[in-house]
Amino acid sequence: MKGFSLYAQTNSRKENILAPVPPMGWMTWNYFGVDINEQTIREMADAMVASGMVKAGFNYIFIDDGWQGGRDNKNNLIPDPKKFPSGIQALADYMHAKGIKLGIYSDAAQLTCAGYTASLGFEEQDAKTFASWEIDYLKYDYCGAPQDSATAITRYTRMGKALHKSGREIMFGICEWGDRKPWYWAKNSGGQLWRTTADIRDKWRSLESPKSVTDLHRVGAGILDIVDINADLHSFAGSGGWNDPDMLMVGLYGKKGPSGYLGGTGCNDIEYQSQMSLWSIMNAPLIAANDLRNMNEPTRRILLNEEVIALNQDPLGQQAERKVKGDIWNVFVKPLSNGDYTVAVLNRSNVPQTSGIDFNELGLDGTYEIRDLWQHKNIGKGKRWKGIVQSHETKLFRLRKL
Ligand code: GLA
């Protein structure tokens, strides 16, 4: 890797930086698994516009595993002709006309996680194919590849370089589940995102206490399990490179399929709202996974809270730091570009609790106007906040210094 750093190159051209803020969108995996096709993906795009999500910033559709139909006689990757009879380029055109970008998926081995044709040995050719289809993002998985870090870095760097040379700006999402600590090397491999954990399941937390990323593969990663890994990686995130704690479970309510494996039986709306709050302040990519064509009112309210989205998309790009890390309370602080702060108060316990937060103890001097971003109102002025936080709820405050 001597002399090669895509990150440094993109950074020196600040105006062209990919992912100056975390990307937002919708991904096929947790709702459809591999049962995808162009018709349903178009319907999702239509729903993403009609629901106001595109306007709120959700402007990517990410095709996950299951789109591939093998290679043609020149070894070019082709989509499954039954699922995508019009081809991927036509789908990209459809998206672009609506102001939506299109992401696609491959893997750094012979086969993907679900057993479809992958890109090992065809990196340059596949990157050119994606560019010719006007693809805007590649999620690059790691099933079927060797365990060691050196091979992973080599394989991701090879695809990172291939995308860089493809003639199109294609965002690169590294998906090896945090097993080889990609927060140390993903940017140098050309990545703008790196998954930090095993696949998220539609549950609040595992019954066992997972101690490591490896444990999470076994017991299934709930929202809180993922927070416990991703929160401590705050110093690695910043403009152009983000920790990716996987998709939003908001609105899935225990749907069967990938999110339902390993005990993913669903969450309640307080828990989904917590995930939206925590993912927003951790500068995670905000990637919905629910059926956008059929959203109930709480799901819309959670996904479309523009004051919460603004925290995630804040140009300062600083991931919240978890200042209090107890069994009951977690308190996060995230500085914002205009000098405001976000304070998030999470009750991890199974019963409502009364919290008393002294902002000075969090390192925030002075007196603040306090705005509750879920109630959409200013709730007072002062140096502290006291109130009840429901079980698994996250209160989200924006503080403006007076
Ligand atoms: C892996 C990834 C998931 C999804 C599937 C597809 O498990 O981590 O996000 O892409 O593969 O097969």
Side-chain angles (χ1 to χ4, degrees):
M1 286 219 307
K2 218 167 151 213
F4 174 70
S5 167
L6 281 178
Y7 184 65
Q9 285 170 27
T10 19
N11 239 354
S12 63
R13 297 184 285 124
K14 263 243 148 90
E15 70 283 8
N16 283 339
I17 196 170
L18 283 171
V21 294
M24 298 169 61
W26 177 85
M27 194 174 270
T28 55
W29 182 245
N30 276 313
Y31 196 76
F32 291 113
V34 296
D35 194 12
I36 47 176
N37 61 65
E38 61 183 38
Q39 183 53 32
T40 44
I41 293 174
R42 283 181 179 165
E43 284 170 20
M44 283 305 166
D46 296 347
M48 203 153 91
V49 174
S51 61
M53 286 183 74
V54 173
K55 201 162 147 276
F58 290 87
N59 65 349
Y60 276 88
I61 292 235
F62 303 97
I63 305 176
D64 206 279
D65 209 352
W67 64 271
Q68 310 87 331
R71 294 186 184 277
D72 67 12
N73 57 11
K74 293 195 177 112
N75 278 330
N76 291 315
L77 260 183
I78 49 168
D80 180 324
K82 285 205 194 73
K83 294 175 175 175
F84 295 90
S86 319
I88 303 293
Q89 163 108 57
L91 195 55
D93 290 346
Y94 187 85
M95 299 296 160
H96 293 155
K98 290 178 180 289
I100 299 172
K101 298 177 182 183
L102 187 63
I104 207 159
Y105 167 97
S106 194
D107 186 295
Q110 259 99 22
L111 296 177
T112 68
C113 296
Y116 293 80
T117 306
S119 293
L120 183 67
F122 294 94
E123 290 83 356
E124 289 209 1
Q125 191 172 349
D126 291 356
K128 285 205 181 96
T129 300
F130 299 145
S132 76
W133 290 341
E134 299 190 49
I135 288 291
D136 304 293
Y137 175 97
L138 174 67
K139 171 175 174 176
Y140 206 42
D141 221 333
Y142 204 64
C143 283
Q147 287 301 314
D148 65 289
S149 301
T151 305
I153 293 170
T154 304
R155 291 188 184 190
Y156 277 105
T157 305
R158 210 181 287 156
M159 185 49 102
K161 279 183 172 172
L163 291 172
H164 197 63
K165 279 173 55 185
S166 72
R168 187 171 170 86
E169 295 211 317
I170 299 179
M171 200 189 291
F172 189 31
I174 287 175
C175 179
E176 59 73 77
W177 321 291
D179 289 341
R180 283 148 288 261
K181 299 189 170 36
W183 38 93
Y184 287 113
W185 51 263
K187 281 188 256 189
N188 277 336
S189 295
Q192 283 78 37
L193 301 178
W194 49 90
R195 282 273 303 275
T196 54
T197 72
D199 292 2
I200 191 164
R201 310 296 172 186
D202 187 9
K203 62 179 176 180
W204 178 245
R205 75 182 304 180
S206 300
L207 294 175
E208 294 179 57
S209 296
K211 300 266 179 310
S212 64
V213 176
T214 319
D215 274 358
L216 277 189
H217 286 296
R218 186 174 49 78
V219 298
I223 291 168
L224 200 57
D225 307 310
I226 288 189
V227 169
D228 284 337
I229 291 173
N230 201 70
D232 294 338
L233 300 173
H234 67 94
S235 62
F236 295 96
S239 195
W242 308 104
N243 293 310
D244 175 0
D246 209 4
M247 291 165 243
L248 295 169
M249 295 291 99
V250 181
L252 279 172
Y253 300 111
K255 184 193 178 293
K256 296 215 181 333
S259 63
Y261 302 151
L262 296 169
T265 51
C267 299
N268 62 38
D269 288 325
I270 289 180
E271 293 164 338
Y272 288 140
Q273 182 171 307
S274 259
Q275 193 198 10
M276 182 70 183
S277 305
L278 295 164
W279 263 233
S280 291
I281 62 167
M282 292 194 299
N283 293 1
L286 296 178
I287 303 181
N290 59 308
D291 185 353
L292 305 180
R293 301 164 302 184
N294 296 298
M295 289 194 276
N296 65 10
E297 222 21 67
T299 302
R300 277 174 205 275
R301 186 181 57 77
I302 293 168
L303 289 176
L304 285 163
N305 184 330
E306 297 200 20
E307 291 193 86
V308 174
I309 291 170
L311 308 176
N312 181 261
Q313 300 288 297
D314 183 74
L316 189 61
Q318 210 161 314
Q319 179 174 328
E321 184 177 348
R322 183 161 58 169
K323 299 269 193 180
V324 175
K325 195 177 168 179
D327 289 340
I328 296 176
W329 297 113
N330 278 184
V331 182
F332 296 77
V333 175
K334 173 178 162 66
L336 299 168
S337 56
N338 72 344
D340 290 0
Y341 289 92
T342 307
V343 171
V345 185
L346 161 66
N347 172 7
R348 299 169 64 105
S349 78
N350 292 331
V351 289
Q353 305 270 358
T354 302
S355 160
I357 301 284
D358 188 325
F359 302 138
N360 289 15
E361 282 172 17
L362 299 172
L364 307 179
D365 311 329
T367 307
Y368 296 88
E369 168 138 81
I370 308 163
R371 183 169 178 80
D372 182 318
L373 300 185
W374 286 108
Q375 285 187 58
H376 298 291
K377 65 178 192 214
N378 295 345
I379 54 166
K381 294 177 181 162
K383 296 174 187 294
R384 52 189 68 84
W385 175 80
K386 191 168 182 216
I388 294 170
V389 186
Q390 299 303 321
S391 165
H392 304 171
E393 185 188 17
T394 303
K395 292 277 183 201
L396 210 43
F397 303 119
R398 185 164 181 145
L399 306 188
R400 188 173 61 82
K401 201 162 190 173
L402 294 171

Coordinates of all heavy atoms in Angstrom, one line a residue, residues 151-187:
T151 N -5.0 -10.1 4.0 CA -5.7 -10.5 2.8 C -6.9 -9.5 2.6 O -7.2 -9.0 1.5 CB -6.2 -11.9 2.8 OG1 -5.1 -12.8 3.0 CG2 -6.9 -12.3 1.5
A152 N -7.6 -9.3 3.7 CA -8.8 -8.4 3.6 C -8.3 -7.0 3.1 O -9.0 -6.4 2.2 CB -9.4 -8.3 5.0
I153 N -7.2 -6.5 3.7 CA -6.8 -5.2 3.3 C -6.4 -5.2 1.8 O -6.8 -4.3 1.0 CB -5.6 -4.7 4.2 CG1 -6.1 -4.5 5.6 CG2 -5.0 -3.4 3.6 CD1 -5.1 -4.2 6.6
T154 N -5.7 -6.2 1.4 CA -5.3 -6.3 -0.1 C -6.6 -6.4 -1.0 O -6.6 -5.6 -2.0 CB -4.5 -7.6 -0.3 OG1 -3.4 -7.6 0.6 CG2 -4.0 -7.7 -1.7
R155 N -7.5 -7.2 -0.6 CA -8.7 -7.3 -1.5 C -9.6 -6.0 -1.5 O -10.1 -5.6 -2.6 CB -9.6 -8.5 -1.0 CG -8.8 -9.8 -1.3 CD -9.7 -11.0 -1.1 NE -8.9 -12.2 -1.3 CZ -9.5 -13.5 -1.3 NH1 -10.8 -13.6 -1.2 NH2 -8.7 -14.5 -1.5
Y156 N -9.7 -5.4 -0.3 CA -10.5 -4.2 -0.3 C -9.8 -3.0 -1.1 O -10.4 -2.3 -1.8 CB -10.9 -3.7 1.1 CG -12.1 -4.5 1.6 CD1 -12.0 -5.5 2.5 CD2 -13.4 -4.2 1.1 CE1 -13.1 -6.2 3.0 CE2 -14.5 -4.9 1.5 CZ -14.4 -5.9 2.5 OH -15.5 -6.6 2.9
T157 N -8.4 -3.0 -0.9 CA -7.7 -2.0 -1.6 C -7.8 -2.2 -3.1 O -7.9 -1.2 -3.9 CB -6.2 -2.0 -1.1 OG1 -6.2 -1.9 0.3 CG2 -5.4 -0.8 -1.7
R158 N -7.7 -3.4 -3.5 CA -7.8 -3.7 -5.0 C -9.1 -3.2 -5.5 O -9.2 -2.5 -6.6 CB -7.7 -5.2 -5.2 CG -7.1 -5.6 -6.5 CD -7.0 -7.1 -6.7 NE -6.0 -7.7 -5.9 CZ -6.1 -9.0 -5.5 NH1 -7.1 -9.8 -5.9 NH2 -5.1 -9.5 -4.8
M159 N -10.2 -3.4 -4.8 CA -11.5 -2.9 -5.3 C -11.6 -1.3 -5.2 O -12.1 -0.7 -6.0 CB -12.7 -3.6 -4.6 CG -14.0 -3.1 -5.2 SD -14.2 -3.2 -7.0 CE -15.1 -4.7 -7.2
G160 N -11.0 -0.8 -4.1 CA -11.0 0.6 -3.9 C -10.3 1.3 -5.0 O -10.8 2.3 -5.6
K161 N -9.1 0.8 -5.4 CA -8.4 1.3 -6.6 C -9.2 1.2 -7.9 O -9.2 2.1 -8.7 CB -7.1 0.6 -6.7 CG -6.0 1.1 -5.8 CD -4.7 0.3 -6.1 CE -3.5 0.9 -5.4 NZ -2.3 0.0 -5.5
A162 N -9.8 0.0 -8.0 CA -10.6 -0.2 -9.3 C -11.7 0.8 -9.4 O -12.0 1.3 -10.5 CB -11.1 -1.6 -9.3
L163 N -12.4 1.1 -8.3 CA -13.5 2.1 -8.3 C -12.9 3.4 -8.6 O -13.5 4.2 -9.4 CB -14.2 2.1 -7.0 CG -15.1 0.8 -6.6 CD1 -15.6 0.9 -5.2 CD2 -16.2 0.6 -7.6
H164 N -11.8 3.7 -8.0 CA -11.2 5.0 -8.3 C -10.8 5.3 -9.7 O -10.9 6.4 -10.3 CB -9.9 5.1 -7.4 CG -9.4 6.5 -7.2 ND1 -10.2 7.5 -6.6 CD2 -8.3 7.1 -7.6 CE1 -9.5 8.6 -6.6 NE2 -8.3 8.4 -7.2
K165 N -10.4 4.1 -10.4 CA -10.0 4.2 -11.8 C -11.2 4.0 -12.7 O -11.0 4.0 -14.0 CB -9.0 3.1 -12.1 CG -7.6 3.4 -11.7 CD -6.7 2.2 -11.8 CE -6.6 1.6 -13.2 NZ -5.8 0.4 -13.2
S166 N -12.4 3.8 -12.2 CA -13.5 3.4 -13.1 C -14.1 4.5 -13.9 O -14.9 4.3 -14.8 CB -14.7 2.9 -12.2 OG -15.3 3.9 -11.5
G167 N -13.7 5.7 -13.6 CA -14.2 6.9 -14.4 C -15.5 7.5 -13.8 O -16.1 8.4 -14.3
R168 N -15.9 6.9 -12.6 CA -17.1 7.5 -12.0 C -16.9 7.5 -10.5 O -16.2 6.7 -9.9 CB -18.3 6.5 -12.3 CG -19.6 7.1 -11.8 CD -20.8 6.3 -12.3 NE -22.0 6.7 -11.6 CZ -22.8 7.7 -12.0 NH1 -22.5 8.4 -13.1 NH2 -23.9 8.1 -11.3
E169 N -17.5 8.5 -9.8 CA -17.3 8.6 -8.4 C -18.3 7.6 -7.7 O -19.5 7.8 -7.8 CB -17.6 10.0 -7.9 CG -16.6 11.0 -8.4 CD -16.3 12.1 -7.4 OE1 -17.3 12.6 -6.9 OE2 -15.2 12.5 -7.2
I170 N -17.8 6.5 -7.2 CA -18.6 5.5 -6.6 C -18.2 5.3 -5.1 O -17.1 5.0 -4.8 CB -18.4 4.2 -7.4 CG1 -18.8 4.3 -8.8 CG2 -19.2 3.0 -6.7 CD1 -18.7 3.1 -9.7
M171 N -19.2 5.6 -4.3 CA -18.9 5.4 -2.8 C -18.6 4.0 -2.5 O -19.2 3.1 -3.2 CB -20.1 6.0 -2.0 CG -19.7 6.3 -0.6 SD -21.2 6.7 0.4 CE -21.7 8.2 -0.3
F172 N -17.8 3.7 -1.6 CA -17.3 2.3 -1.3 C -17.6 2.0 0.2 O -17.0 2.5 1.1 CB -15.8 2.3 -1.6 CG -15.2 0.9 -1.6 CD1 -15.9 -0.2 -2.0 CD2 -13.8 0.7 -1.3 CE1 -15.3 -1.5 -2.0 CE2 -13.2 -0.5 -1.3 CZ -14.0 -1.6 -1.6
G173 N -18.5 1.0 0.3 CA -18.8 0.5 1.7 C -18.2 -0.8 2.0 O -18.4 -1.8 1.3
I174 N -17.3 -0.8 3.0 CA -16.6 -2.0 3.4 C -17.4 -2.8 4.4 O -17.8 -2.3 5.4 CB -15.2 -1.6 3.9 CG1 -14.4 -1.1 2.6 CG2 -14.5 -2.7 4.7 CD1 -13.0 -0.6 2.9
C175 N -17.6 -4.1 4.1 CA -18.5 -4.9 4.9 C -17.8 -6.2 5.4 O -18.1 -7.2 4.8 CB -19.8 -5.1 4.1 SG -21.0 -6.1 5.0
E176 N -16.9 -6.0 6.3 CA -16.3 -7.3 6.9 C -16.7 -7.4 8.3 O -16.0 -8.1 9.1 CB -14.8 -7.4 6.5 CG -13.9 -6.3 7.0 CD -13.7 -6.3 8.5 OE1 -12.9 -7.2 9.0 OE2 -14.3 -5.5 9.2
W177 N -17.7 -6.7 8.7 CA -18.4 -6.8 10.0 C -17.5 -6.4 11.2 O -17.8 -6.8 12.4 CB -18.9 -8.2 10.2 CG -19.5 -8.8 9.0 CD1 -20.6 -8.4 8.3 CD2 -18.9 -9.8 8.1 NE1 -20.8 -9.1 7.2 CE2 -19.7 -10.0 7.0 CE3 -17.7 -10.6 8.2 CZ2 -19.5 -10.9 6.0 CZ3 -17.4 -11.5 7.2 CH2 -18.3 -11.7 6.1
G178 N -16.5 -5.6 11.0 CA -15.7 -5.2 12.1 C -14.7 -6.2 12.6 O -13.9 -6.0 13.6
D179 N -14.7 -7.4 12.0 CA -13.8 -8.5 12.5 C -12.3 -8.2 12.5 O -11.6 -8.7 13.2 CB -14.1 -9.8 11.7 CG -15.5 -10.3 12.0 OD1 -16.0 -10.0 13.1 OD2 -16.0 -11.1 11.2
R180 N -11.9 -7.4 11.5 CA -10.5 -7.0 11.4 C -10.2 -5.5 11.6 O -9.4 -4.9 11.0 CB -10.0 -7.4 10.0 CG -9.8 -8.9 9.8 CD -10.0 -9.4 8.4 NE -11.5 -9.4 8.2 CZ -12.3 -10.5 8.3 NH1 -11.7 -11.7 8.5 NH2 -13.6 -10.4 8.1
K181 N -11.0 -5.0 12.5 CA -10.9 -3.6 12.9 C -10.7 -2.6 11.7 O -9.7 -1.9 11.6 CB -9.7 -3.4 13.9 CG -9.9 -4.2 15.2 CD -8.8 -3.8 16.2 CE -9.0 -4.4 17.5 NZ -9.6 -5.7 17.7
P182 N -11.7 -2.6 10.8 CA -11.5 -1.8 9.6 C -11.4 -0.3 9.8 O -10.9 0.5 9.0 CB -12.7 -2.1 8.8 CG -13.8 -2.5 9.8 CD -13.0 -3.2 10.9
W183 N -11.8 0.2 11.1 CA -11.7 1.6 11.4 C -10.2 2.1 11.3 O -10.0 3.2 11.1 CB -12.3 1.9 12.7 CG -12.1 0.9 13.8 CD1 -11.0 0.9 14.7 CD2 -12.9 -0.3 14.1 NE1 -11.2 -0.2 15.5 CE2 -12.3 -0.9 15.2 CE3 -14.0 -0.8 13.5 CZ2 -12.8 -2.1 15.7 CZ3 -14.5 -2.0 14.0 CH2 -13.9 -2.6 15.1
Y184 N -9.3 1.1 11.4 CA -7.9 1.5 11.2 C -7.4 1.6 9.8 O -6.4 2.3 9.5 CB -7.0 0.5 12.0 CG -7.0 0.6 13.5 CD1 -7.6 -0.4 14.2 CD2 -6.5 1.8 14.1 CE1 -7.6 -0.3 15.6 CE2 -6.6 1.9 15.5 CZ -7.1 0.9 16.2 OH -7.2 1.0 17.6
W185 N -8.0 0.8 8.9 CA -7.4 0.7 7.5 C -8.4 1.0 6.4 O -8.0 1.2 5.2 CB -6.8 -0.6 7.3 CG -7.7 -1.8 7.6 CD1 -7.7 -2.5 8.8 CD2 -8.7 -2.5 6.8 NE1 -8.6 -3.6 8.8 CE2 -9.3 -3.5 7.5 CE3 -9.2 -2.2 5.5 CZ2 -10.3 -4.3 7.0 CZ3 -10.2 -3.0 5.0 CH2 -10.7 -4.1 5.8
A186 N -9.7 1.1 6.7 CA -10.7 1.2 5.6 C -10.5 2.4 4.7 O -10.7 2.4 3.5 CB -12.1 1.1 6.1
K187 N -10.2 3.6 5.4 CA -10.0 4.8 4.6 C -8.9 4.7 3.6 O -9.0 5.1 2.4 CB -9.8 6.0 5.5 CG -11.1 6.5 6.2 CD -10.8 7.7 6.9 CE -10.8 7.5 8.4 NZ -10.7 8.7 9.3

